[in-house]
Amino acid sequence: MTDEPVLRMEGITKIFSGVTALANVDLSLARGEVHALVGENGAGKSTLIKIMTGAYTRDGGQMFLEGRAVDFRTPEDAQAEGVVAVYQEVNLLTFRTVAENIYLGREPRRFGLIDWKRMNADAAALLKRLGLDIDPRAPLGSLNIALRQMVAIARGVSFDAKVVVLDEPTSSLTEHEVQILYDVIRRLKAEGTAVVYISHRFDELYTVCDRVTILRDGRFVATRPLAGLEKIDLVCLMLGKQREELRQGTTAFKGATEAAAGETPLLSAENLKRGRKLNDVTVEVARGEIVGMAGLLGSGRTETARAIFGADSVESGEVRLEGKTIRRGSVNEAIDSGIAFLTEDRKAEGIIPELSVRENLTLAALPALSTLGVVSRARQAEIVDKFMKRLGIKAANADQKIRELSGGNQQKVLLARWLCKNPKFLILDEPTRGIDIGAKGEIQSLVGELAESGLGVLMISSELEELVEGSSRVVVMRDGQRVGELRGDDISQANIIRAMAEGTTGEATAASTATAHVTDTTPPAATPPSVPPAKGA
Amino acid sequence: RKESSSGGSGGGGGVAGGGQNNAGGKKVIGFSQMEMDGPWRIAETESIKGEASKKPDKYDLRVTVAQGDTAKQAANVEDLVAQRVDAIFLAPRETVGFEQALATAKSANIPVILVDREASGTAGDDFVTVLKSDFVKQGQRAADWLATASNGKANIVELSGTSGASVTADRGKGFRDEIAKHPEMKIIQSQTGDFNRAKARDVMQNIIQARGKEITAVYAHNDEMALGAIQALEAAGMKPGTDVLIISVDGQKSALQAILDGKMNVTIESNPRFGPLAFATLEKFWAGEKLPPIVGIEDRLFDKTNAAQFLNEAY
Amino acid sequence: MSQAATTIDEGGSAHGRLMRARFASFAQRQGALIALVAVCVFAAIRYERFLTEENLVNVLRQNSMLGLVALGMTFVILTGGIDLSVGSLMAVAGVAAATLAGQGALIAVVAAVALTTVLGLVNGVIIAKARIQPFIVTLAMMIAARGLVLAYTGEKSVGIGKSSETLTSLGRDFVGPVPVPVVFLVVLFALGWLVLNHTRFGRHVYALGDNDEAARLMGLNTARVTIGVYALSGALAGLAGVLDAARLGAGRPVAGQGDELNAIAAVVVGGTLLTGGQGSVLATLVGVLLLGLIFNVFNFEGWISPWWQAVLRGLFLLVVVIVQNRLSRRK
Amino acid sequence: MQNATPANSSGGSTAAGASRRAGARSLLADYGPTYGALAALILLVLANAVFTPNFADVNNFRNILLQVAPTVLVAVGMTLVIATGGIDLSVGSVMAIAAALAATNLERGLLPAVLLGLAAALAVGILNGALISGFRIQPIIVTLALLITGRGVAQVISRGGQIILIDNQNFMSLGKGFVGPVPTSVVVMLLVVAVAIFVMRATSFGRYVVAVGGNESAARLAGVKVHRTKIMVYALSGLLAGMAGLIEAAKAEASDATKVGLYIELDAIAAVVVGGTPLTGGRVTVVGTLIGALIMQVITTSFNMLGIGFAWSLVLKAAIILVAVYIQRPKVA
Ligand SMILES: Nc1ncnc2c1ncn2[C@@H]1O[C@H](COP(=O)(O)OP(=O)(O)OP(=O)(O)O)[C@@H](O)[C@H]1O
Ligand SMILES: Nc1ncnc2c1ncn2[C@@H]1O[C@H](COP(=O)(O)OP(=O)(O)OP(=O)(O)O)[C@@H](O)[C@H]1O
Ligand SMILES: [Mg+2]
Ligand SMILES: [Mg+2]
């Protein structure tokens, strides 16, 4: 294992229209190692692996595969040499079947024509081996995001590659699927494949990775064995800080305040119903309160948020802000009455890629910034300046296109888009997904601050620490239903997990308003009735 | 409009020219028009329609229009044949392109009379005859008039018709062949004006800018373009009709008016009223008369002397 | 245990969605097919001579050139592209074949089709390599090719002449009861279907239209596929142009004008999405016939003025597309 | 209440400083003319001034503006449509409808005729927008259908495709009149361009247009009224096409329903893309469109003046379109 590395990158440099994304970065992968690549948002991780796999061309540096200098011009070249990547955003073909996605470009053929039978059989076998119950003939678009991600991973491992890169593979996976992924990684490792693993979740890194390479601002910081490297030191390396400078605790929340009893809620959403996805969901949030919303993937959290915001029309139910009913299915009325919604899918539903940071930031506030439809440049600049400072948005200037920013900074701009409107109620859907630890802390402490000044927040998150430390109450969802609520000292990771899994929250909610829903809930084994029996996992 | 479905279609295989499709003694006549843009084509179609409607108990006319596309028009003829009409008037878009359509009609024993243009083939065999408006001759007559009026000395701007149209080619050719006999008559600039007044006006404007006072005559392939050219000349402070002679083809009402106003000199008629001639010819054919390969239609020449007289009957 | 439950749920709903997706794509195809059948039934009842062999053969033959163009267009549109140059390429091929008719039919046809294939290839190379939008590249090709063919012919049609009967027979003769262009149409549509559904190239065409960035990152040589479809479109447009010239006995510099829009309309009416990734060649055939039949019906009527025909044609196009759209969005 | 985590302070100040510096530059970069197209225009004009006799002449420049006016009006509307990611093929037919309606109603008086023409154009635009946004059908198909139908409607209005002569002096002054030394239609054109630039730069509507073109669902969730914005751009495109139709009719002193605006959609699209607005939407430059249209017009004019066949000007235009778009294409990795 100490002999020639499988793949070695030296002095890699990449410049995007004048901006240096990578400067002189080294990376060396040994046979059969799992190599973590970490760094803040925009540190250049994705860029580095795109260069490794031929998706981008490098502006400087060298790359050696098994000691041989290589120069991949396209991902096709890289694949041919056994360097394969599962890229950050789920990037597959939604109209094509699962099997086609897995074997695209390598379709088995007979007499020059595609051998569909064999392709589907091979795909079925592969998926089964990975413990996935997916019909290889299903169009990919019919799967949810998590399963699509698993298909992408299945494709990646089907190559018998020398190097497999996984760029934030778990950002939308369930715990169960993460376990499957770990098994896959261990198998690859045993076969001598080198795996590059990018993730912002430290627990995962420590579970599967052997060594770690740290990038900061496009520069190489260090490569270290993970064993023996304390988390806190890893964070320090990422941020370029000394140990003492870092605050304790995993999140930046200071412990939430609970709403005063008896007060009329700031927001109340009652009995929202939308097909099978939302079944009679009720949520209340008081002024100054952060209500967490937990649930497994696909449990209906985003649906709830969209229903409250009017982004989807609901069949029945009512949303009231400060007692005033908001017309169903009207985003504009929701916004006008003071509701804001930070979506979970930045790329598809958040940024306007070609517009500048300035225009993106002020998009929702334009009516307030304009008189008779004419926008005041001065007031716009004032707001942009203020929020770029306040949120620490890293951009060359306010006129940089938002698509050129890293994910975390894009997220901050989108948050600022809402904050500059002084909303009364803010919905955050996975506000820190795919965001580095520094930016995460900033966003978390900001949310805390805002709540202190009277903003009501509904925070959807898959990160339990975030919910536990940030919320005064946690609403738990499952299968489109609200299955419980935790408050006060009952809010703990263990309790949340139990509620998500079993649909009961124990005595904690016995006296709360949510009890009615909880007790009505059918036991988990019975839902949904139409589902075929489970295959062992 | 029930009558349009061809009643009694199987009326027995008549001899060539015999009516196979006489629904209650009515003859179904197909007219394949190439396109309907511009007053000339409309007048032609109206003339044929008008003649048919004079005898509603005798003729049932079906008009197809091909949007200026030869392929489409050939298809339209085939469609008419498939309907087993009793005769077809075909105003072909261009000379070539109708061999097969004509052959189809022939094999179905449907007589075809060509209207206003020729198509390749033999009269009396591939088709009955051509009712012809001689576009080449129109060009020649325009050139003749100009040669006389200018004493064989002119710098001419030619505004030609739509690119690729056979009239454009014919009216250009006739004119050029004729002025070639006069060494001092030159076409100093030629550009397409698409048979379109607005386009011709713009083109003329640019040519005036380039050639200015050099220009002594404008030959436009139709009246619309001549009217556009007149506008451009007036805008440039030149006097159409006196400084610059304006000659065109068609004989539409607004051109006659321009002649009366002294802004235009002459327009060679291209008579669109083929209706009476077409039906008369068809009747003769059915009556078994021998027909010449070309039946000419009379084209007049309108100038100051007769414009007022024909103004009201012009289209 | 709870995790296992979620996985099942996904599997179950995935299956449900699969069925619905299949139904939706069926309904989508059905939309145009239903309209086609409806028009046929209407015409058959109203016009006695509609269902004659002669008329049906006419309809097929008249639409076979547009059909070939639309076939190529289907490939292009499936990749998410568009090809506005096909009309002009028809003219180029027709004129080229007519000009070369004296050299023998084979040479004339091969050279003409080769020429437009190369022009299609140029489209593809510029689109793939210079990364300019297909709409713009093919718009430029449409304008330039038309200009060149007009300039080359001096704006006059080039007659093929009686001597080259082999060439004209391509447009005029029959194989049994079937006109030669219709034979081309049927054979090439069958081939098109085979290529799209059973070859790598075909699947990659779909992949490219589905998500080109993903296809590239998955290691597809997207440039090759792009160049391939535009070359194919050029070739089929060229063949259509040759058949058109053969049928009419002349290569016309103005041939195919507006056919790019007709072909696009036919593809869309068939139910292929302009965004790419979804659709089929058979749908296109239905679309071509549907739009072609309207003209046939107008001709049977014989009294509707061309302007009213235009009004009706546009409205019909709109209605079919709206219905199509409603059906396909039921998923 | 520690508001600054370690990483916070470093990024903020640079961003704020830089943002002010680049303020002026952004005016040009985001909404302004594209230098490639401007350079091409200047080059073309200079080359012509040298090689084309009588080209460099005030009169000629006035003619160029006069001739380009209808195309520019249509192209400005097209620019907005394209900025939302759409396309409008129906503009030529809309021109014909407006011209036909105005011409056939002039005996009712100038104002009613003009208003009728413009109202019809606006209505077709709104119909386009409503179909595209309400039924979510691809713009190219909706507007293709209206291109076909609209031409037919214009011919029906024109008493069956007749050329309708115009002899209302006031109406004709739209095409032939002057405001000072500048032709009326050029004044209209410049006004429209100026207003469009202002709207795209300074108003919230302008931003909504590019936001919708850039990312429709994001725009919707940010409170942008997407439907309204789309309907508005198609309505504007229709209205501007209507104005162009009236000007064409006034210039020709006649309305020819079969010819007015024929193929102008292609000229307009060419002007837009040569000017630097990408067909993908999300970016816009009205000045660029003006420049693009002028480039095309200068080519036409100079070819007319030099007596070079129309066919060759097509070839040159195609080349210019490709080169301009190539130069302005977004940089990719
Ligand atoms: N296509 C591009 N054009 C311009 N700049 C880019 C482009 N892609 C990336 N960058 C810039 O390069 C830098 C590195 O980005 P990269 O996506 O590699 O970061 P990352 O480490 O993967 O971040 P994240 O954790 O948010 O995914 C960032 O500053 C980003 O703005
Ligand atoms: N883009 C999408 N395409 C198809 N189905 C989707 C999509 N987004 C969500 N769903 C489905 O809608 C249902 C509810 O999903 P929702 O997004 O509300 O869940 P969630 O609890 O917010 O999960 P997530 O962690 O994914 O945000 C699930 O069945 C999910 O699979
Ligand atoms: Mg990344
Ligand atoms: Mg969610």
Side-chain angles (χ1 to χ4, degrees), chain D residues 28 139 145 150 165 181 206 255 300:
Chain D
L28 299 172
L165 297 180
S255 155
T300 304

Side-chain angles (χ1 to χ4, degrees), chain D residues 5 23 94-95 136 184 209 232 290 319:
Chain D
T5 54
V94 173
M95 281 175 71
R136 297 203 202 166
T184 314
V209 168
M232 282 275 278
L290 177 64

Side-chain angles (χ1 to χ4, degrees), chain A residues 144 148 277 296-303 344 430 433:
Chain A
N144 69 19
R148 290 184 207 178
K277 290 181 171 179
L296 293 173
L297 206 87
S299 57
R301 295 165 300 171
T302 298
E303 291 278 339
E344 66 178 338
E430 307 284 3
R433 171 181 288 177

Side-chain angles (χ1 to χ4, degrees), chain A residues 141-146 148 171-174 274 276-278 293-306 312 344-345 349 429-430 433 460-462 477-480, chain C residues 9-10 13 17:
Chain A
S142 67
L143 307 182
N144 69 19
I145 307 277
R148 290 184 207 178
S171 60
S172 50
L173 294 192
T174 62
R274 179 165 199 261
R276 278 181 56 239
K277 290 181 171 179
L278 270 190
M293 185 172 258
L296 293 173
L297 206 87
S299 57
R301 295 165 300 171
T302 298
E303 291 278 339
T304 306
R306 291 177 65 91
D312 295 329
E344 66 178 338
D345 193 341
E349 299 189 321
D429 195 356
E430 307 284 3
R433 171 181 288 177
I460 299 169
S461 178
S462 300
M477 299 283 299
R478 190 166 53 79
D479 293 334
Chain C
D9 179 29
E10 312 298 3
S13 63
R17 284 202 207 104

Side-chain angles (χ1 to χ4, degrees), chain C residues 205-216:
Chain C
V205 166
Y206 279 111
L208 194 56
D210 199 329
N211 183 341
D212 60 341
E213 179 62 11
R216 188 177 80 88

